[in-house]
């Protein structure tokens, strides 16, 4: 199998290293210096242009470019006969996404979107034990990280996630929480959101968001996202009729991860996961292995498919739009014009 990775930034490099465990890998990037360095560092063949790279007839293409040109690269790959794995989110706009999925169906090509958090030990444990809580009442998820420390050695203000024109902002960048909550609790029917730029960071996008989802099955979920916490934090609480699942991850390199289940009938906690140093690459490796299996013709339910990714994007963009269009209620004015 041949896999082409388009985009040689940090995430593209990670995908390339993982993919070569399963396939013959090549690279391309619009920046010749970035391409040359990645090719030399990794010992992987590089193509100067996307056209040249696709003429090598890759079975699959990993699209690791900024959000705003995901669809252009993916369409070219599908038209060249390749399956695609697109970095999350599938795009920064709904424009053209349906056309991409229609094209893939017509060409009988598979479209998957990177959602490595589905393979994280925290989310995996919650998925495996979700039935233990019985009927779910609500979930509360959080993600926080200090943006300037996310890419050591890089100017954070130049990252795609720091700029509106490249599809940045914490809501789209941290779409993992929207995805796994819909994966666990079913699709969202409606959303509310308050998002803002709270810091003096050199960004023109939101660095804070509080989102509420109402899922079609009746469960409610709350999502806190930010680029402001000096220590990386991630986790989720799911409360149901028989107990509560609690996942908490703290730090990065090392990341400490615990998942516990409180069972109402015994009034006791059971520890499901207790890791002092999560292997941060393992979820990516498992995801790549699953993608290769999908390209080989297998149905892999844990992989995020194109249609699901479109729903994730709709929820994220609806949350952003709600925050832009709806004002908060001033307490001093409450009651005057009810």
């Amino acid at each position: 199998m041949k896999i082409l990775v388009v985009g040689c930034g940090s995430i593209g490099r990670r995908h390339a290293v993982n993919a070569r465990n399963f396939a013959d890998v090549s690279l391309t990037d619009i920046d010749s210096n970035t391409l040359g360095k990645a090719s030399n560092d990794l010992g992987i063949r590089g193509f100067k242009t996307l056209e040249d790279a696709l003429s090598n007839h890759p079975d699959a293409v990993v699209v690791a470019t900024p959000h705003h040109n995901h669809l252009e690269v993916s369409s070219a790959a599908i038209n060249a006969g390749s399956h695609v794995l697109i970095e999350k989110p599938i795009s920064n706009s709904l424009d053209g996404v349906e056309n991409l999925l229609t094209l893939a169906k017509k060409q009988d090509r598979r479209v998957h979107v990177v959602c490595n958090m589905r393979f994280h030990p925290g989310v995996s444990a919650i998925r495996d034990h979700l039935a233990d809580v019985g009927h779910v009442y609500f979930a509360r998820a959080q993600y926080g990280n200090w943006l300037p420390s996310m890419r050591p050695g890089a100017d954070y203000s130049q990252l795609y996630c720091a700029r509106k024109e490249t599809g940045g902002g914490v809501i789209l960048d941290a779409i993992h929480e929207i995805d796994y909550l819909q994966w666990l609790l079913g699709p969202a029917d409606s959303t509310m959101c308050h998002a803002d730029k709270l810091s003096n960071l050199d960004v023109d996008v939101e660095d804070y968001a509080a989102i509420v989802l109402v899922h079609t099955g009746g469960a409610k979920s709350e999502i806190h996202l930010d680029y402001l916490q000096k220590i990386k934090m991630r986790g989720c609480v799911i409360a149901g009729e028989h107990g509560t699942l609690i996942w908490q991850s703290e730090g990065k390199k090392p990341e400490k991860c615990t998942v516990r289940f409180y069972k109402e009938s015994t009034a006791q906690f059971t520890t499901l996961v207790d890791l002092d140093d999560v292997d941060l690459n393992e979820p990516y490796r498992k995801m790549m292995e699953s993608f290769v299996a999908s390209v080989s013709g297998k149905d892999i339910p844990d992989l995020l498919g194109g249609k699901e990714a479109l729903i994730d994007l709709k929820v994220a963009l609806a949350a952003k739009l709600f925050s832009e269009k709806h004002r908060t209620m001033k307490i001093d004015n409450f009651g005057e014009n009810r």
Side-chain angles (χ1 to χ4, degrees):
M1 181 181 294
K2 293 191 291 186
I3 294 180
L4 168 67
V5 177
V6 183
C8 297
S10 60
I11 192 61
R13 283 173 168 240
R14 182 186 290 274
H15 290 318
V17 169
N18 286 320
R20 69 181 175 185
N21 291 318
F22 312 103
D24 176 22
V25 178
S26 58
L27 305 169
T28 190
D29 194 292
I30 59 172
D31 187 316
S32 59
N33 292 328
T34 300
L35 173 62
K37 187 171 184 350
S39 180
N40 289 332
D41 289 349
L42 302 178
I44 296 176
R45 181 184 182 185
F47 289 91
K48 292 183 179 180
T49 67
L50 177 61
E51 291 74 20
D52 287 344
L54 292 176
S55 70
N56 190 44
H57 305 295
D59 299 285
V61 173
V62 179
V63 182
T65 62
H67 303 160
H68 66 290
N69 61 11
H70 282 180
L71 299 184
E72 179 182 356
V73 175
S74 299
S75 296
I78 292 169
N79 279 322
S82 303
H83 304 277
V84 292
L85 174 65
I86 308 168
E87 254 301 325
K88 55 78 184 171
I90 192 169
S91 180
N92 64 315
S93 168
L94 294 179
D95 295 340
V97 178
E98 290 277 13
N99 291 339
L100 177 75
L101 299 181
T102 299
L103 174 66
K105 184 176 181 180
K106 182 179 179 180
Q107 302 281 7
D108 195 25
R109 299 295 90 183
R110 298 197 177 197
V111 175
H112 291 290
V113 175
V114 170
C115 202
N116 52 291
M117 289 307 299
R118 290 188 175 200
F119 299 88
H120 186 281
V123 177
S124 294
I126 288 179
R127 174 80 167 178
D128 290 343
H129 294 272
L130 186 61
D132 295 342
V133 306
H135 174 70
V136 175
Y137 298 132
F138 72 87
R140 184 172 65 251
Q142 66 147 333
Y143 164 79
N145 200 3
W146 179 231
L147 179 60
S149 68
M150 284 175 58
R151 298 287 185 271
D155 179 357
Y156 77 88
S157 67
Q158 299 306 306
L159 298 175
Y160 72 88
C161 57
R163 297 297 167 200
K164 184 176 182 180
E165 66 179 1
T166 51
V170 73
I171 294 177
L172 285 176
D173 188 38
I175 202 169
H176 290 295
E177 275 59 35
I178 289 174
D179 176 70
Y180 77 67
L181 285 172
Q182 293 197 103
W183 189 45
L184 296 171
L185 305 180
D189 179 66
S190 60
T191 184
M192 296 178 287
C193 174
H194 179 77
D196 207 346
K197 180 178 181 291
L198 302 183
S199 71
N200 60 359
L201 290 171
D202 183 13
V203 301
D204 63 358
V205 290
E206 80 280 351
D207 56 21
Y208 161 89
I211 303 170
V212 174
L213 303 181
V214 179
H215 298 266
T216 53
K220 310 293 192 298
S221 59
E222 311 155 27
I223 306 173
H224 167 92
L225 307 172
D226 75 74
Y227 282 150
L228 307 174
Q229 296 186 61
K230 300 304 190 291
I231 180 174
K232 185 178 180 181
M233 303 279 285
R234 197 165 222 149
C236 183
V237 173
I238 295 186
E241 60 181 333
H242 300 316
T244 303
L245 283 163
I246 305 170
W247 159 41
Q248 181 68 33
S249 282
E250 300 174 0
K252 180 179 181 180
K253 296 182 181 179
E255 175 187 323
K256 180 176 176 59
C257 172
T258 60
V259 181
R260 299 186 300 159
F261 173 58
Y262 178 81
K263 189 173 183 179
E264 179 194 23
S265 62
T266 62
Q268 292 182 340
F269 278 100
T270 300
T271 298
L272 306 174
V273 176
D274 188 5
L275 298 172
D276 289 327
D277 190 0
V278 174
D279 183 345
L280 300 179
N281 187 60
E282 185 62 8
Y284 288 98
R285 191 201 66 78
K286 287 182 177 179
M287 181 199 61
M288 184 60 67
E289 183 177 21
S290 297
F291 175 61
V292 169
S294 177
V295 170
S296 300
K298 297 180 181 178
D299 291 323
I300 311 295
D302 288 355
L303 272 176
L304 175 59
K307 290 182 179 180
E308 291 178 283
L310 174 57
I311 296 173
D312 288 345
L313 180 61
K314 286 182 177 181
V315 172
L317 294 179
K320 288 171 71 71
L321 183 62
F322 184 97
S323 181
E324 293 168 2
K325 297 295 184 181
H326 295 271
R327 297 181 300 173
T328 55
M329 172 67 72
K330 294 292 186 180
I331 303 302
D332 287 347
N333 298 333
F334 181 72
E336 292 182 3
N337 297 302
R338 286 190 298 161

